[in-house]
Amino acid sequence: DLRGHGKTDQPAAGYTVGHFVEDLVGLLDVLAIDRPIHMVGNSFGALVAVAFAAFLAVGLVVSNWNAFV
């Protein structure tokens, strides 16, 4: 589950986009992916992808993203 969705617990304060970026960085570490990557993000995933792009992404595609979210 995505943090705070489905059956995953959510603290009262919720999560920031930074938490989701940290999760993505952690996943890439576990998968031993240490090179620049291309990402595709849709909706909330696009917001996470844009925040993550500052770390490793070389290419970025976003759709259905509201920059004011």
Side-chain angles (χ1 to χ4, degrees):
D1 283 339
L2 184 64
R3 283 182 183 239
H5 294 79
K7 295 184 179 183
T8 303
D9 292 337
Q10 179 177 359
Y15 295 106
T16 66
V17 172
H19 288 112
F20 294 97
V21 171
E22 289 171 2
D23 290 345
L24 182 53
V25 170
L27 175 64
L28 293 173
D29 285 345
V30 167
L31 296 175
I33 298 173
D34 59 358
R35 65 192 187 298
I37 63 169
H38 296 271
M39 292 196 66
V40 175
N42 180 59
S43 192
F44 181 71
L47 179 63
V48 175
V50 167
F52 172 79
F55 291 98
L56 292 172
V58 169
L60 176 65
V61 176
V62 295
S63 67
N64 195 27
W65 176 54
N66 182 346
F68 302 105
V69 171

